[in-house]
Each structure stands twice: as structure tokens, then as C-alpha cells.
Amino acid sequence: MQGGFPIDLILFAMVAAFLVLRLRSVLGKRTGFERPPQAPGVPGAEARTARAEGVQEEVMPARRDGARRAIPDARGPVGQALSRIAAADRSFTPDAFLDGAEGAFRMIVAAFAQGDRQTLRALLDDATYAGFEGAISARENAGESQRTEIRHMHEMAIEGADLRGHTAEVTVRFTSDQVNMTTGRDGAIVAGSDAITEVVDVWTFQRDVSSGDPAWKLVATRSV
């Protein structure tokens, strides 16, 4: 057709504009748990923040695979600490933090099972990484393989929070159904099983809120 503007170009432009807006809405959200693109129950680590007693929890709507969320009441000591963190870091909200914490939990559990040191190095502080790396090395030296699958996340609950100077810490309790199994060189099971087991992990994340780096790093873990 001569003399007219091609209608297919208009349609392609509309589709391209829609895709750009969708990508911005997804990729533009930062929780501080993103894995840097070029970033290069584990023994030896202990949680440093205990659960506050007698604190009311706010139950949030389930996300992802239906996990229950619990956020301490703003009037309690943990809730007040979360408010101080939010005042120091305007991008922080407890709900968005749990989004990122769940993603980090899944990445770290998978990376540990696979022996992916590069991912672990980006998401853990030095001391915690040393514990994870030591366990991976021992497993490799023994010729063992780890299989870990998170089948369902039941609950994520913020149990503790603190702001000391510019250092913020938030402790999360993860309750999930997992399959954990270690096999030897011959494929025989040496630890765990292929049965689904409920696992409760308590992890503490830390961040310097004065830093331009939004990353939270795992600094302590324990299993309940």
C-alpha cells in the first residue's frame, strides 16, 4: 500500500512499548538480595538474634507457594527495631525484605547442595562462607554428593531485628518441607533420606544501611 503509514509498524511499536513496561516493573524491583552478575543446617554457624518473647505478630497474605508470613507488631521491641531500620533505609519494608529473604534462602540452599561457591560467596559474609565452604570441601573429599530440594515453604517469620550504628540485622525463621540426602561414591545413602521432612531454619541477615550497596548478607544460621 502506497502513501499510508504501515499498520504493522504501529502494532510492533505498541508491543515493544508493552514489553519495556513489563520488564521495568519486574527488573526494577530491588530487595538487596540480588546476586551480583560477576560475583565470584551448616556446621560452625550460630544465629546471633533470639526470638523476642511476647511480641504480637502480624500475619501477612501468603505469597509464592502459599507460605504464611509473620511480622512482629510495630509496638513491640522487634517491630520498633524494624521501624528504625526503615527510617535509616527508606527502601526497607518488612514485607519486601521477606520477599528477598525467601529468594536468598532458596538460592543458598541450592548453592550449598550443588557446591556452588561463587553464589555462596556473593550472598554470605566471610565467617559464614568459611563454614559453608568447609562443609562442601569435606563432602567433596569424601566423594559424597548432596541432594536438597525445598518442596514447600510453610512459613517465614521475622524473629529479631536490630540496628547498631549503621549495621542492620534481621533474623528470619523459615519453616519448609525439604528432601535432604547425601550419597557416597557408590550412590548409597550415607545421610538423610529421600523422604520429605519439615525443617526449621533460623537465619540472620546483615547490611550496612549507610552503604550504597543494597545487598543483605547471611551472617548466621542454625536449625531448630
Side-chain angles (χ1 to χ4, degrees):
M1 178 178 179
Q2 297 181 349
F5 194 82
I7 190 66
D8 56 343
L9 291 182
I10 297 176
L11 293 175
F12 286 141
M14 292 174 65
V15 171
F18 173 76
L19 291 176
V20 168
L21 290 174
R22 289 291 296 168
L23 284 171
R24 285 181 178 175
S25 69
V26 173
L27 301 180
K29 297 178 181 178
R30 292 184 60 81
T31 63
F33 287 99
E34 293 81 1
R35 186 193 315 181
Q38 303 300 327
V42 177
E46 295 180 354
R48 296 185 297 209
T49 311
R51 183 178 185 183
E53 298 295 334
V55 177
Q56 296 293 321
E57 292 181 334
E58 177 184 2
V59 179
M60 304 298 292
R63 303 285 183 84
R64 294 199 180 202
D65 57 358
R68 174 183 179 271
R69 294 182 171 207
I71 296 175
D73 189 283
R75 296 165 295 182
V78 178
Q80 291 176 7
L82 292 172
S83 296
R84 292 196 300 273
I85 295 173
D89 177 4
R90 297 295 183 182
S91 66
F92 176 86
T93 67
D95 197 41
F97 176 86
L98 286 177
D99 275 338
E102 180 180 2
F105 179 80
R106 292 176 180 276
M107 279 195 293
I108 291 169
V109 167
F112 175 69
Q114 297 161 8
D116 181 356
R117 292 175 173 85
Q118 184 177 15
T119 295
L120 294 175
R121 198 70 192 88
L123 296 171
L124 279 56
D125 76 337
D126 292 342
T128 308
Y129 174 76
F132 276 64
E133 200 283 330
I136 291 172
S137 293
R139 191 173 68 208
E140 291 174 345
N141 292 336
E144 297 173 347
S145 299
Q146 176 76 28
R147 173 191 168 198
T148 300
E149 299 175 13
I150 299 175
R151 294 295 183 86
H152 180 71
M153 183 71 71
H154 289 289
E155 181 185 54
M156 294 177 293
I158 294 179
E159 290 203 334
D162 196 11
L163 180 64
R164 298 188 302 275
H166 297 300
T167 303
E169 281 191 357
V170 180
T171 297
V172 182
R173 183 181 74 251
F174 300 93
T175 304
S176 61
D177 284 342
Q178 298 185 22
V179 172
N180 287 286
M181 185 172 62
T182 303
T183 55
R185 298 180 191 274
D186 59 357
I189 298 175
V190 297
S193 72
D194 58 0
I196 298 175
T197 304
E198 182 176 285
V199 179
V200 180
D201 294 291
V202 180
W203 287 15
T204 299
F205 299 93
Q206 187 181 89
R207 176 178 179 261
D208 181 351
V209 294
S210 68
S211 170
D213 182 358
W216 289 81
K217 291 203 171 185
L218 179 64
V219 298
T221 71
R222 67 179 171 90
S223 295
V224 178

